[in-house]
Structure formats: C-alpha cells, structure tokens
Amino acid sequence: MAESRSRDLRDQCAEVALKLIGEVGVEGLSIREVARRLGVSHQAPYKHFASSNHLLAEVVRRMYADFSAYLLSRPKGRNEAESMENLGIAYFEFAMRNPLHYRLMFGNPLPDPDQHPEMMSEARAAFTILLDSIAAARGGKNVKLDQLDALFVWSSLHGLSTILRTNALDEIGLKQAVLSEALPHTLMRIGVALGI
Amino acid sequence: MAESRSRDLRDQCAEVALKLIGEVGVEGLSIREVARRLGVSHQAPYKHFASSNHLLAEVVRRMYADFSAYLLSRPKGRNEAESMENLGIAYFEFAMRNPLHYRLMFGNPLPDPDQHPEMMSEARAAFTILLDSIAAARGGKNVKLDQLDALFVWSSLHGLSTILRTNALDEIGLKQAVLSEALPHTLMRIGVALGI
DNA sequence: TTCATAGGTTGACGCCGTCAACTTAGTCCT
DNA sequence: AGGACTAAGTTGACGGCGTCAACCTATGAA
C-alpha cells in the first residue's frame, strides 16, 4: 500500500512536471509548483527525487522511451529499404507531433548525462534502433561504415527536425512550399547519398 | 563620457555573462552575479537590459555575428565546389572549437525569437551565407531546389555538430575512430547526394 | 541657471531550491 | 504482542534569485 502510494506520487510528479514544462518551458519547471498541483507539501517530491534535476532527468528518460516505442511501431515495409524510409518518416513525425518531447530529448540544457545513467541508457536504446535498421538494410557487412552512415542519417533527420521546429526559417524568408517539401527532399537526398 | 561609460557597462555585461554561462551553464546565468563581478549594484544592468532574457539575447546575437564572420573568413577555394566544401569544414570547425558559442546559438531554451528581432536578424544573416554559397555552386538556376538543398546541407551539418557535441555518442558505444571520421564522411555523403 | 534625463544606488517582495528536524504509519525481527 | 527501524510526508528556515519602486547625481540642453 505504502509502496503503491509512493510509486503513485513519483509517477504523478513526472506527469505533472511534463505538463508544467509544456506550459512554462523547461526553465520554468519548479518542484514546488509540482507539489502544489498535487496537493502535497513542497518537500514531498524530494522523497522520490534527489533534486529538481533528477526530476527532469526522469521526465526526459520517459521521452526517450516513448520515442523508441514510436519508432518501433512504424509500418514494417515490404523490404529493408522501405523499412528505412518508414523509419525516417517516423522519426520526423515524432519530432513534429511532439515538439515538446523532442525538445526535451535533444534540447540542450539536459541534466548532466554522467549523473543520470538511466536516462542515457534509454537514449542509447533509441539510437540502436536506427543503427540496426541501417545495418539490416545493407546486410551488416561493414560495421564501421554502417555506423558512419547511421550517424549521417541521424544527423540529417535531427538537424532538419531541429531547424524546422524553431520557426527560425519563417523569419529567414523561406516559403511554406519549401518547408513542406523539406522532409521528402531530405529523405530523397539521403537515399541518393547511400545508394539505396 | 557618460555615453562611453554606459556603453562600456553594456558591453561588459554581455562579456561577463558569456564567461559566466561558460562556467555554470545557461541556466546558471544570474544578472546579480554579473553585476557583482563588475563591481556594480545588482540593478545597474537593468539600465541596459530590460530583463535577464534580454541580456541572454544580446549574448546570443553576438554569437551569431561571430559565427557569420568565421564562415566568411574561410579560405576561398579555387572554384565553387571547393568553396562549398570549405564552408562545410568551417561550419563544423566553429562548432567544435567554440562549443559554448554553438550551443548558445542552437541550444534550445533561447529567448523567444519574436521578442528579440536583433538576435534573429543576425541569425538570418548566417543562413544567407550558406544559401548563397549553394546557389553560387550551381549557378542559381533553380531557386527552390537551391533552398531545399541548403536546408539539407545545413540540417546535416547542424545535426552532426549537435550530436557530436553532446558526448551522447561516447555513451552509446561508438568507437573514437568512427567519431573522428564522421565529418569527412558526412561531407562526402553530402557531395554524393548533391552530385558535386 | 534651471531642469529633465540617463545611469547608478538601496531596499523590499515573493518566488525558488534545499537542508534540518519532526511526525506518522507500516514492516520486520524476536 | 511489542519494540526498533524505515519510508513517506510535514513544517520551518535560509540564502539566492529576478524585478518593482524610490531615491541620488551628474550632464547637457533650454
């Protein structure tokens, strides 16, 4: 009972923290406000998280887990090449549909990775999905080349997602038509580059 | 005299703020600490910056200006293709040599762009350098295609820089050899993709 | 000479994170 | 059954932060 109640509070903290971040941004996350919204004292969350950064790390860890799940749930495709393409689409979709989640994972001021190993192991799992898919598409004969290309693909997708998300490009003067074609164009270029 | 003294304080604030961010991270930036280090009262900076976010925006604006200057100062190359390659190298060099500057520009919790137009206009200038270079490399016949490819190139470079900078990859288990080859490999892939 | 104003000062307010000390309820030996 | 231990939650305090308000002072224009 105590076990379940406490687990409840831990979960609820992470949940409310995410909602709060959505409202006021990462820098507005306040452990006291989380406690307030849950109707508990300002110290209660400290029984479950050593510091406010640990709370943030837990939120981020969950985002990585969601991300991995989304990538894995993509349509399979009839062959490895199609599966790769679907992966690219899924990656981008996730970033566009869940900008907050994506920003939390790859936005910068993350809790120091060294101090939050559980967060990092979830991140590693996400990258592994991408790496495996590339290796599969090419028979996995040249591990190093696969890794380099996985990095290349990830870079391109990540960069595009980040850039489009910021709205910086509206300001820069690119037309909407350009922006909406950016993903298929990038996927096409990646295909050309990798000879798939 | 008053003019020059005040301009001094404004400049000094931005300078000290950058150094402070380097020490304690963006989230540790404190207007009071800046004032303390400059030996002025905690309110003095407010005569030059409306809020601490405005101070941050000024710091970021300067980073964009430095970035543009670095890109423009790259070796010219004997032809447009070489000039493009040098641009890619310069982009990446800047990101690796000045991780703090780079993180400030593209790390997430930036001051709201709408409220800091001077910051954004400096950012626009940096993207224009890249766009112009791509257009030049291809004679500028197809504007939309040039824009799409500029976006593709920028995405790839930006993504790679961001990913490598986080050290996430060490944790993920990639060998050092892979990481050191990542840039040339990515530039090569971009070349293949664009048929340059 | 007057006087508005830019730049700088002190003081106060209400947030925040976090340490410390206390309460309470449940668990586990004996 | 009873007592010790512990996990989970509470209240209270401290110092740091951003920022509003009020005050001071020199300078340059009228």
Side-chain angles (χ1 to χ4, degrees), chain A residues 20-32:
Chain A
L20 184 57
I21 290 173
E23 292 173 17
V24 298
V26 149
E27 69 283 358
L29 175 59
S30 146
I31 233 172
R32 290 177 103 111

Side-chain angles (χ1 to χ4, degrees), chain B residues 10-31 33-38 55-56 58-60 62-63 66 99-101 103-104:
Chain B
R10 188 185 157 90
D11 280 0
Q12 285 172 11
C13 281
E15 220 169 283
V16 169
L18 176 60
K19 186 176 283 185
L20 183 57
I21 290 173
E23 292 172 18
V24 298
V26 152
E27 68 284 356
L29 174 59
S30 147
I31 233 174
E33 178 62 19
V34 168
R36 222 172 280 128
R37 293 190 182 197
L38 288 171
L55 171 55
L56 179 57
E58 169 61 13
V59 172
V60 173
R62 291 168 172 228
M63 300 302 97
D66 289 353
L100 175 58
H101 297 53
R103 192 164 48 234
L104 276 173

Side-chain angles (χ1 to χ4, degrees), chain B residues 2 19 29 33 35 44 54 57 88 90-91 115 118 150 152 162 171 175 182 189:
Chain B
K19 186 176 283 185
L29 174 59
E33 178 62 19
H54 285 77
Y91 185 113
Q115 298 197 2
E118 290 161 15
F152 167 66
T162 313
E171 300 282 336
K175 295 276 194 309
R189 284 295 185 219

Side-chain angles (χ1 to χ4, degrees), chain A residues 148-149 151-152, chain B residues 85 88-89 92 157 160 164 177-192:
Chain A
L148 282 169
D149 279 330
L151 208 46
F152 167 66
Chain B
E85 187 182 352
I89 293 171
F92 192 79
L157 291 173
L160 184 63
L164 289 189
V178 171
L179 298 186
S180 63
E181 279 183 43
L183 173 62
H185 183 80
T186 293
L187 291 176
M188 181 274 284
R189 284 295 185 219
I190 289 174
V192 172

Side-chain angles (χ1 to χ4, degrees), chain A residues 16-26 100 103-104:
Chain A
V16 169
L18 176 60
K19 186 176 284 187
L20 184 57
I21 290 173
E23 292 173 17
V24 298
V26 149
L100 175 59
R103 193 164 47 235
L104 276 174

Side-chain angles (χ1 to χ4, degrees), chain A residues 19-195:
Chain A
K19 186 176 284 187
L20 184 57
I21 290 173
E23 292 173 17
V24 298
V26 149
E27 69 283 358
L29 175 59
S30 146
I31 233 172
R32 290 177 103 111
E33 179 62 20
V34 168
R36 223 172 279 129
R37 293 189 182 198
L38 289 171
V40 296
S41 77
H42 67 265
Q43 278 289 1
Y46 279 89
K47 298 295 168 177
H48 303 279
F49 302 98
S51 77
S52 64
N53 262 343
H54 285 76
L55 171 55
L56 180 57
E58 169 61 14
V59 172
V60 172
R61 191 196 61 75
R62 291 169 172 228
M63 301 301 97
Y64 277 115
D66 289 352
F67 185 48
S68 290
Y70 191 87
L71 293 183
L72 288 175
S73 74
R74 72 188 187 277
K76 284 303 157 202
R78 282 161 309 187
N79 51 50
E80 295 296 349
E82 229 179 72
S83 173
M84 263 295 300
E85 186 182 354
N86 287 343
L87 182 64
I89 293 171
Y91 185 112
F92 192 80
E93 268 178 7
F94 186 88
M96 292 300 120
R97 286 191 194 164
N98 312 329
L100 175 59
H101 297 53
Y102 194 81
R103 193 164 47 235
L104 276 174
M105 291 189 290
F106 298 116
N108 233 122
L110 280 192
D112 178 5
D114 296 341
Q115 299 198 1
H116 305 280
E118 291 161 15
M119 181 183 80
M120 286 317 292
S121 89
E122 210 66 70
R124 203 175 306 126
F127 181 69
T128 302
I129 294 171
L130 181 57
L131 188 55
D132 286 352
S133 176
I134 288 195
R138 298 206 294 206
K141 289 170 198 154
N142 185 334
V143 174
K144 188 169 170 187
L145 186 62
D146 287 346
Q147 289 182 342
L148 282 169
D149 279 330
L151 208 46
F152 167 66
V153 173
W154 191 14
S155 296
S156 303
L157 291 173
H158 170 61
L160 186 64
S161 303
T162 312
I163 289 173
L164 289 187
R165 208 184 16 70
T166 62
N167 294 337
L169 295 185
D170 298 347
E171 299 282 335
I172 277 168
L174 292 186
K175 295 275 195 309
Q176 195 56 40
V178 171
L179 298 186
S180 63
E181 278 183 44
L183 174 62
H185 184 81
T186 293
L187 291 176
M188 182 273 285
R189 284 296 185 217
I190 290 174
V192 172
L194 300 189

